[in-house]
Amino acid sequence: QVQLVESGGGLVQPGGSLRLSCAASGSIFSPDTMGWYRQAPGKQRDLVANIMRDGSTNYGESVKGRFTISRDNAKGTVYLQMNSLKPEDTAVYYCNAKKNWPMRYNYWGQGTQVTVSS
């Protein structure tokens, strides 16, 4: 059983920074894609950022230029550096790890709360 465990969430003032981490608690073949999604109350779960094994990245438009995603392929970990945080960034942030070949999986973490408020 592979589990993804997020950490680093919390309360921060607008304009502040947080770094989220996600680590696999068990053995895992290197995911093809790792990413972060977020969900605010009454909203759908949306992509924040993802990163491929070769380091290529995608970002949601609302976080582009403010957030940076990175990964450690050997450890199966992914990080999200969040700068210039805004109140609208408030959400539960979920880690995701996905692979399609030679095996297929799609794992989700339990989520970590990020609250941006003065």
Side-chain angles (χ1 to χ4, degrees), residues 21-52:
S21 299
C22 173
S25 63
S27 297
I28 187 172
F29 285 126
S30 182
D32 296 326
T33 305
M34 300 191 75
W36 292 93
Y37 294 74
R38 68 186 182 187
Q39 188 168 25
K43 303 290 185 179
Q44 68 179 24
R45 186 176 298 187
D46 292 328
L47 172 70
V48 177
N50 62 23
I51 182 167
M52 313 305 173

